[in-house]
Amino acid sequence: MSADGERRAYLDHAATSVLRPAAREAFVEASLVQGNPSSVHATGRRARAVLDDALELIAELLEVPRSWLIMTSGGTEADNLAIRAVATGAVAADSSRTAVAVAATDHPAVVATARSLQALTPSIEARLLPVDDQGILQADRAADALADGAVSVMSTALVNNETGALQDLAALAAIARAHGTLVHTDAVQGVGHVRRPSWDDIDLMSLSGHKIGAPVGVGVLVAKPDVPFGTTSTGGGQQRGVRSGTLDLALAAAFAAALQETVRDREQESRRIRALARRLRDGIRQIDSSARLTLSEESPQSGHIVHVVFPGAHSDSLLFLLDERGVDSSAGSACSAGVTQASPVLAAMGLSEEDARGALRLSLGWTSTDQDVDVLLQALPESLRRARAVGALFG
Ligand SMILES: Cc1ncc(COP(=O)(O)O)c(C=O)c1O
């Protein structure tokens, strides 16, 4: 329901989810606490206690020691640290570690960071790992990329933000371990939908608050203690010196509250959301027999994203027409939206530019209901007809 009472279907949880009441309450309560958690006086100590409680809870929910947590401003900063700071730290510790390897389909926070690292530090090479037509990293190609022992860190999203493709981190970790390569996973889209990878298989993991019902502006990089970090920013030396700066108690508390509900409800919610996604897919197929689901139902995936290509329709027009009929959806990843451009994710999976032009991403989350599915299925036939008419006019 929108603010003016119109029944809208919010089908863009992968862009940002809905703030959870528990997170809002934790935020408001902690925002009333005065003081800097680093100060030693009583006011500072009270602030420290609130921060400590939040960090303890996050660590407990992720099943790691608290010292592994580095709070960030979101997934983007966590990914930047995991690629840029780790690559520079690793090459400083061992001059033969002159490369990073990232999945070609990863979020720009990873891929653009690897590319910029190479541009700014020509001694570091960025290697892109190819995926198959279901968006799954090809293990033999990953093994080739790591074979010379030069890769310090390999990064792949646990769940892809456009298609929902789910990687087999245990298999990839086995390859990485054989070459002394650290494994980072961007689990921003995975939390709440799939099982967390084992800490035996990964060294670093990025999370983002606003994808799980916390406010925008908070995230976490989980990093094992032996991960080398180069200096990418400097300051008061908080958080192992990796990410200096005074932490926001309210954001940390809200993140902890949202993560608690997300972890507690994961299995049940994931079953519920998969059932809604099934209804979406079946309904879409009935409405348009030419619609092509980007991932086959048998492919490993998170279950909260339905990515579909409507041949002959322009996503921009389709988005606009659906929006008019009360549906919030996305053409690709909203993080890179604003301007719609051909999706590098779909290109890496082998989709033609023409196919990618008709792509729609519908993503579900904790507030999604059958009614959201109904609104979309009701709006789709006419929106599609008109989007195709636009497609026919402009080619
Ligand atoms: C997989 C993935 N990684 C990173 C990010 C960036 O997270 P944030 O918006 O918290 O910076 C996103 C946002 O869409 C994402 O989906």
Side-chain angles (χ1 to χ4, degrees), residues 14-15 73-77 79 107 109 157 159-161 186-189 207-211 216-218 333 335 361:
S73 59
T76 300
E77 189 188 4
D79 285 346
H107 191 273
V159 168
N160 182 267
N161 53 297
D186 172 338
V188 164
Q189 294 289 345
L207 304 177
S208 166
H210 69 111
K211 311 290 182 174
V216 177
V218 60
S333 118
C335 304
R361 179 186 73 176

Side-chain angles (χ1 to χ4, degrees), residues 6 41 64 132 196 240 296 313 349 368 387:
E6 178 199 8
H41 47 61
V64 296
D132 65 17
R196 177 179 52 69
R240 305 194 224 169
S296 87
M349 292 168 66
S368 301

Side-chain angles (χ1 to χ4, degrees), residues 2-261:
S2 70
D4 57 8
E6 178 199 8
R7 175 69 223 183
R8 290 190 69 83
Y10 186 71
L11 293 173
D12 207 13
H13 283 261
T16 196
S17 193
V18 180
L19 187 65
R20 291 174 187 266
R24 186 173 50 231
E25 276 159 34
F27 181 91
V28 170
E29 201 176 309
S31 69
L32 298 173
V33 176
Q34 225 188 308
N36 184 322
S38 297
S39 300
V40 291
H41 47 61
T43 302
R45 290 200 302 277
R46 269 198 299 275
R48 165 58 61 185
V50 172
L51 181 61
D52 282 348
D53 285 351
L55 297 181
E56 289 295 346
L57 180 55
I58 296 168
E60 191 187 310
L61 292 164
L62 297 175
E63 298 179 284
V64 296
R66 190 181 125 177
S67 59
W68 291 18
L69 303 182
I70 299 169
M71 299 303 292
T72 65
S73 59
T76 300
E77 189 188 4
D79 285 346
N80 266 266
L81 287 172
I83 305 298
R84 196 184 297 279
V86 172
T88 51
V91 76
D94 173 355
S95 59
S96 69
R97 296 284 171 181
T98 53
V100 295
V102 303
T105 47
D106 265 11
H107 191 273
V110 168
V111 176
T113 302
R115 288 208 166 108
S116 113
L117 187 63
Q118 176 173 280
L120 296 173
T121 323
S123 56
I124 297 183
E125 179 198 350
R127 298 179 183 173
L128 280 192
L129 303 170
V131 296
D132 65 17
D133 65 358
Q134 295 297 295
I136 302 299
L137 273 178
Q138 298 167 1
D140 52 341
R141 302 285 295 278
D144 290 347
L146 268 50
D148 63 2
V151 175
S152 55
V153 59
M154 175 178 78
S155 181
T156 175
L158 177 61
V159 168
N160 182 267
N161 53 297
E162 284 186 43
T163 63
L166 169 68
Q167 302 294 342
D168 180 352
L169 276 163
L172 294 166
I175 299 166
R177 292 279 172 263
H179 300 289
T181 296
L182 297 167
V183 179
H184 165 249
T185 191
D186 172 338
V188 164
Q189 294 289 345
V191 201
H193 300 291
V194 300
R195 194 189 297 271
R196 177 179 52 69
S198 158
W199 289 110
D200 291 339
D201 294 330
I202 55 175
D203 302 285
L204 298 126
M205 182 172 84
S206 302
L207 304 177
S208 166
H210 69 111
K211 311 290 182 174
I212 59 169
V216 177
V218 60
V220 178
L221 176 66
V222 188
K224 286 184 173 171
D226 51 351
V227 170
F229 282 100
T231 307
T232 52
S233 74
T234 45
Q238 293 94 333
Q239 306 204 89
R240 305 194 224 169
V242 173
R243 204 275 195 170
S244 287
T246 305
L247 285 179
D248 185 326
L249 304 184
L251 285 173
F255 185 97
L259 186 64
Q260 188 170 34
E261 281 195 359

Side-chain angles (χ1 to χ4, degrees), residues 277-311:
R278 208 169 306 121
R279 268 201 69 211
L280 268 179
R281 282 192 298 266
D282 292 348
I284 290 169
R285 272 193 293 244
Q286 266 180 17
I287 287 167
D288 181 30
S289 58
S290 71
R292 283 201 298 273
L293 292 163
T294 305
L295 298 188
S296 87
E297 271 174 78
E298 296 73 45
S299 280
Q301 57 197 288
S302 61
H304 76 303
I305 297 180
V306 173
H307 192 278
V308 57
V309 170
F310 294 103

Side-chain angles (χ1 to χ4, degrees), residues 314-331:
H314 271 199
S315 333
D316 279 355
S317 321
L318 189 55
L319 277 192
F320 172 76
L321 291 158
L322 285 171
D323 185 10
E324 255 188 357
R325 288 166 177 74
V327 178
D328 299 315
S329 61
S330 169

